[in-house]
Amino acid sequence: MSAMLGEPYATRDDARLLAELEALTLHHQAGCPPFARITAGWRPSGRLEDVPFLHVGIFKDMLLQTHATGIRHQRRLASSATTSGVSSSVALDEHSSALQSASARHVLAAWLGNERAPLVVLDSARALRERGAVSARLAAALSLRPLATDLTFVLPDAGDPSGLDWDAVRLASAGGVITVYGFTWILWSAWARGAMPDIVRDQLRNVTIRFVHSGGWKKLESAKVDRATFDRALLDAAGPGSHVLDYYGLVEQVGMIFPLCEAGRRHVPRWGEVIARNPWTLKPTDQLGQLQLLNPLAWGAPYHSVLTEDMGTVPMDPCPCGRVGRTFILDGRIPKAELRGCANV
Amino acid sequence: MAGYQRLNSGAVPMSEPVRFRSRDGHDTLVWFPFDLDRFLADAARARNALVRQVPPEFNRNEWAYLITMLAPSHILSSMEQIFGRRVDDADGVVRWDAVPRGSVAIWAPGNVSLLAPLVMLAAVVSGNQVRLKGTSRAADLSGAFLRALRGTVGAESFATCFTSVEHAVFDRTDPRSATWAAESLVRVVFGSDAAAQAIHGMPHPLESIGFSFTDRRSEAWIEFGAVDEAVLRDLAAVFAIYGQAGCTSPARVVLIGATREEALLFRSRLVDAWPTAVREDVEMHTASQVTRASQWAQASGWDVQSAPRHAAALAVGPLSLPRHEANHALWISWASLDEAVTTAPTNLQTIGHAVHDPLDTGWQRALMRTSVRRWVPLRQMHHFGWNWDGEDWWRQLFRIREWRS
């Protein structure tokens, strides 16, 4: 278990992080034959940048599991299918889940405070009843659970933002503080642009709301909604002390969340690392590059080091917001090339 | 002057017929609605003008292929493959004449960057009235090629031929498909099997004909002893243009009669040769997908090495290993000829060869057991012909009339 969990934005013990990541890599090589084949020849080198990674797409191609003493696999985490039409599949296990839950709790507490409050999730509870698999959206919502006194799902149908159950929101917010979580687009379409009844609006003017959202901005960009408009629309119908927290995270690295600060940077907890790599050489770069995310929390499958398809830069200077530790500036997805060929594409 | 009937449009004037002669001395008179010599001269001028103007819709490799097809020598040799040698004398016996059927409709998905524009070009060269359906879902490459041809300065008669092409962009549910099917004497459809069936299933003139360019796969068959630098460069070049997405791209390389060690050595030489054949970087997303494909292949037991700057994942393994639909992964296996034949896909289109004697009867006997339509040198895998996919399709854009004394 990583002993690094705790205050996320403090000075990092680089040697310890490296040792944990290298040990974890050896653990996966021993227990996950496909990973061992991919990383054949790798040995600890004493450098973080040499810790091998898996491309994020590999989790769409195959289900990877690491078998070892003490590792008990539970459910499978499935992303919603993206534009590719293929979803990622990540094996969850008890040990990692505990670490991931602790990771999310520490990070969120640093941004939202330790006060527990009812959690309102803009999603359907139906996903909870699915056996064997848990959706990425649900997993993202459940990462907030340590800060929740109660959990309320307010969308009977996740595909229909207009069906938001405002009565449930009113009941959940009776205590004066709530946390509201939703994917960015759903938070916008169901809440900010939803038909909020007057009685709910009147009540929420006196409720401190901690809006938390994750997920891409593509749909909002299409709708020409910028971040300021988005935040303003949410906060206009919320009480004093309310705020909006946007975080980035990978389905393939549940529990590792990277909140956006007021200076526009994403903050990496001290038990994680981010490296930007040149897509054509895969060498680390101080320029815009393909982001690799590392953490020592994943024991049941080798998703401790993942090369994403997101682009960003990793500034080396301290963040103007004052938080300590590694940061990155997310630029967006790698532009997708149109597939050309013949009649069979 | 002569004329031919177009549905709904009456007669179109023809130039003097062009005479082609077969080896047995029989001539075919081919009627075009333009002066062929002037057309070819204009094509040369157009080619010179277009060669350095790569439209943004195309990459340099694609454009180079398309421009090659505009060469007068290419157009004329394509005609001569169909009708025989062009002659100016009247010494032969006229046995046939060929008159454009009248109307050709082409349904082209936007991302068929070479084949569809070339079919459009060949259809226009046949003298038929052409309709071209583009797409609204992707880059309309046939339309982009058409715009470039229409805009050629100093080659007005050539450009005019393309100005007459009716180009429309609509989706598969649009009623214009039914109209075009009902009014065209030739239907050319690119797309899935289902898309082709849908078009050809629409009411159409009884005397009309249809061609489908649907899902096909191609391979490279190579004898290790025949490998030289040119073979390696040719393979890199034909693969790089489409990855596996082209129906004429090598989805796998089979080293006939080779060993695993020879396959590894071949791959190593291919890695070295790659930058000499492919000078442009792949797009960033492709480079990323090469990383993904490499890892999938390694996990599945392939021995993988990336081409420089992640241009392709070059995987070596036995034929029995599973292969991934990764676009820029080239699967290299060693096998006997019999194994290559028995594992060839049923929709095999082209085999690009690099062997000592490609006309050896042993190859012919082996290929008889496959569905292959083309057996051509590696570098010609993408060379679109006017006889294609087992169809003498360009000849059939004409109505052939028999003449006997």
Side-chain angles (χ1 to χ4, degrees):
Chain A
M1 178 177 281
S2 174
M4 301 181 75
L5 291 169
E7 163 55 41
Y9 308 118
T11 304
R12 189 174 75 187
D13 183 341
D14 287 350
R16 178 165 212 155
L17 179 63
L18 174 64
E20 289 203 16
L21 286 167
E22 290 185 336
L24 200 47
T25 302
L26 292 170
H27 158 81
H28 291 305
Q29 282 188 322
C32 180
F35 181 75
R37 285 193 286 271
I38 292 170
T39 60
W42 176 84
R43 295 290 177 271
S45 71
R47 299 196 311 172
L48 266 173
E49 66 186 64
D50 291 340
V51 173
F53 52 78
L54 290 183
H55 187 282
V56 67
I58 203 85
F59 297 99
K60 295 181 176 178
D61 299 330
M62 55 178 62
L63 178 65
L64 295 165
Q65 288 187 327
T66 300
H67 298 280
T69 306
I71 299 295
R72 288 178 51 204
H73 290 99
Q74 307 165 296
R75 294 201 287 179
R76 194 169 44 80
L77 178 64
S79 72
S80 53
T82 57
T83 44
S84 67
V86 184
S87 59
S88 279
S89 198
V90 177
L92 299 176
D93 66 284
E94 283 180 353
H95 180 53
S96 306
S97 293
L99 293 172
Q100 289 154 357
S101 179
S103 167
R105 186 176 69 244
H106 286 301
V107 174
L108 288 167
W111 295 79
L112 302 176
N114 280 311
E115 184 183 2
R116 298 174 75 212
L119 172 62
V120 172
V121 178
L122 272 62
D123 208 332
S124 165
R126 200 174 302 159
L128 277 177
R129 293 193 288 272
E130 288 177 13
R131 298 181 65 183
V134 55
S135 76
R137 283 201 333 213
L138 185 62
L142 294 181
S143 67
L144 292 158
R145 198 167 190 172
L147 298 177
T149 55
D150 196 12
L151 186 62
T152 308
F153 289 83
V154 294
L155 280 182
D157 177 357
D160 178 18
S162 68
L164 196 149
D165 183 353
W166 290 105
D167 280 342
V169 173
R170 193 165 57 84
L171 288 172
S173 60
V177 182
I178 55 170
T179 305
V180 175
Y181 171 78
F183 261 30
T184 307
W185 171 248
I186 295 178
L187 192 55
W188 173 257
S189 55
W191 189 289
R193 283 289 166 266
M196 186 184 293
D198 288 344
I199 188 171
V200 178
R201 190 176 300 276
D202 289 344
Q203 178 170 318
L204 292 182
R205 282 203 186 99
N206 299 308
V207 174
T208 299
I209 308 177
R210 307 182 298 191
F211 291 102
V212 182
H213 66 99
S214 58
W217 279 86
K218 201 156 64 178
K219 285 185 178 176
L220 284 171
E221 280 172 6
S222 303
K224 304 205 182 313
V225 177
D226 60 20
R227 189 177 298 281
T229 306
F230 179 85
D231 288 0
R232 198 167 49 243
L234 292 172
L235 295 175
D236 276 354
S242 297
H243 59 274
V244 181
L245 180 65
D246 174 355
Y247 75 80
Y248 166 82
L250 289 185
V251 176
E252 295 78 6
Q253 281 194 338
V254 65
M256 286 299 286
I257 57 182
F258 307 96
L260 180 72
C261 77
E262 52 275 25
R265 297 191 187 183
R266 310 272 171 179
H267 284 259
V268 182
R270 65 191 178 97
W271 52 90
E273 176 62 304
V274 59
I275 299 170
R277 292 186 180 272
N278 179 312
W280 291 281
T281 64
L282 294 179
K283 289 184 177 157
T285 175
D286 56 3
Q287 307 292 308
L288 185 67
Q290 201 170 346
L291 295 175
Q292 176 194 356
L293 300 172
L294 305 96
N295 72 75
L297 311 178
W299 288 82
Y303 51 94
H304 61 300
S305 174
V306 174
L307 183 68
T308 73
E309 291 213 295
D310 292 314
M311 299 295 289
T313 49
V314 182
M316 288 296 129
D317 60 325
C319 183
C321 80
R323 292 178 183 86
V324 174
R326 182 79 79 224
T327 62
F328 61 96
I329 299 168
L330 190 63
D331 188 70
R333 283 284 165 90
I334 291 182
K336 215 158 193 181
E338 183 185 47
L339 189 58
R340 292 185 177 182
C342 287
N344 51 355
V345 299
Chain B
M1 300 288 276
Y4 68 93
Q5 294 298 311
R6 272 194 297 156
L7 288 182
N8 303 327
S9 61
V12 169
M14 291 283 125
S15 259
E16 287 302 305
V18 181
R19 188 180 282 251
F20 293 87
R21 182 166 299 152
S22 65
R23 285 184 182 165
D24 59 7
H26 292 146
D27 288 359
T28 301
L29 301 179
V30 183
W31 299 88
F32 294 102
F34 44 74
D35 182 294
L36 181 61
D37 289 320
R38 192 172 160 209
F39 181 89
L40 293 175
D42 272 1
R45 275 190 283 274
R47 183 170 180 270
N48 289 338
L50 292 171
V51 73
R52 287 186 184 83
Q53 301 170 13
V54 184
E57 293 88 349
F58 296 92
N59 65 40
R60 289 187 176 280
N61 282 336
E62 291 170 334
W63 193 242
Y65 267 106
L66 291 173
I67 291 300
T68 299
M69 302 300 162
L70 286 178
S73 57
H74 176 80
I75 294 173
L76 191 59
S77 71
S78 297
M79 291 177 175
E80 289 183 329
Q81 283 174 27
I82 303 294
F83 290 120
R85 183 171 51 90
R86 185 188 177 183
V87 293
D88 293 325
D89 63 68
D91 296 342
V93 178
V94 175
R95 185 57 59 81
W96 295 280
D97 77 348
V99 182
R101 282 182 181 265
S103 53
V104 177
I106 302 166
W107 282 262
N111 56 7
V112 184
S113 60
L114 296 184
L115 223 48
L118 292 175
V119 163
M120 184 268 294
L121 170 67
V124 168
V125 170
S126 74
N128 282 284
Q129 181 62 40
V130 176
R131 283 171 151 172
L132 175 67
K133 176 208 164 297
T135 180
S136 54
R137 290 193 303 160
D140 181 15
L141 299 175
S142 298
F145 188 47
L146 183 62
R147 280 191 296 278
L149 295 175
R150 284 172 172 171
T152 49
V153 177
E156 279 68 24
S157 74
F158 179 82
T160 300
C161 290
F162 294 93
T163 304
S164 68
V165 173
E166 181 183 343
H167 176 236
V169 173
F170 52 84
D171 67 27
R172 63 181 66 177
T173 61
D174 193 289
R176 276 175 284 185
S177 277
T179 305
W180 286 20
E183 293 179 352
S184 301
L185 290 171
V186 182
R187 299 174 307 283
V188 182
V189 184
F190 292 87
S192 63
D193 291 359
Q197 279 175 345
I199 297 295
H200 295 313
M202 292 174 172
H204 52 261
L206 190 59
E207 70 273 29
S208 68
I209 55 175
F211 300 98
S212 307
F213 298 120
T214 55
D215 186 13
R216 296 282 184 269
R217 289 287 165 199
S218 295
E219 303 196 332
W221 289 12
I222 295 170
E223 286 179 323
F224 184 74
V227 174
D228 57 19
E229 291 306 303
V231 166
L232 296 166
R233 281 198 302 271
D234 288 345
L235 178 59
V238 294
F239 183 76
I241 192 165
Y242 277 148
Q244 287 198 22
C247 55
T248 49
S249 303
R252 69 173 182 175
V253 175
V254 185
L255 294 169
I256 306 291
T259 63
R260 179 177 186 276
E261 289 65 35
E262 287 171 333
L264 290 169
L265 180 58
F266 172 84
R267 193 266 309 279
S268 174
R269 293 175 62 189
L270 184 58
V271 169
D272 292 341
W274 204 278
T276 66
V278 185
R279 297 183 191 281
E280 287 185 341
D281 270 342
V282 294
E283 293 192 56
M284 194 188 295
H285 184 257
T286 300
S288 175
Q289 290 304 305
V290 166
T291 303
R292 173 181 175 178
S294 297
Q295 294 193 334
W296 182 92
Q298 287 167 326
S300 304
W302 293 84
D303 186 302
V304 186
Q305 198 175 342
S306 289
R309 295 184 65 76
H310 281 74
L314 307 177
V316 174
L319 283 179
S320 55
L321 282 180
R323 285 179 282 142
H324 194 271
E325 287 291 320
N327 191 38
H328 277 74
L330 184 59
W331 312 102
I332 302 168
S333 295
W334 62 95
S336 68
L337 179 56
D338 188 60
E339 288 170 327
V341 166
T342 55
T343 58
T346 54
N347 59 348
L348 186 57
Q349 210 268 358
T350 296
I351 295 176
H353 61 68
V355 299
H356 291 296
D357 183 5
L359 299 182
D360 184 275
T361 53
W363 296 114
Q364 292 163 9
R365 277 195 291 272
L367 297 178
M368 276 294 292
R369 295 160 56 203
T370 73
S371 63
V372 72
R373 272 36 178 244
R374 300 170 68 227
W375 169 252
V376 298
L378 272 179
R379 65 180 167 280
Q380 293 181 18
M381 289 188 77
H382 296 315
H383 285 197
F384 176 73
W386 293 9
N387 180 316
W388 189 254
D389 224 9
E391 298 276 4
D392 199 359
W393 74 274
W394 194 76
R395 182 186 180 88
Q396 294 186 66
L397 300 187
F398 295 85
R399 199 169 60 243
I400 308 294
R401 299 189 295 199
E402 186 176 6
W403 292 77
R404 297 276 178 176
S405 59

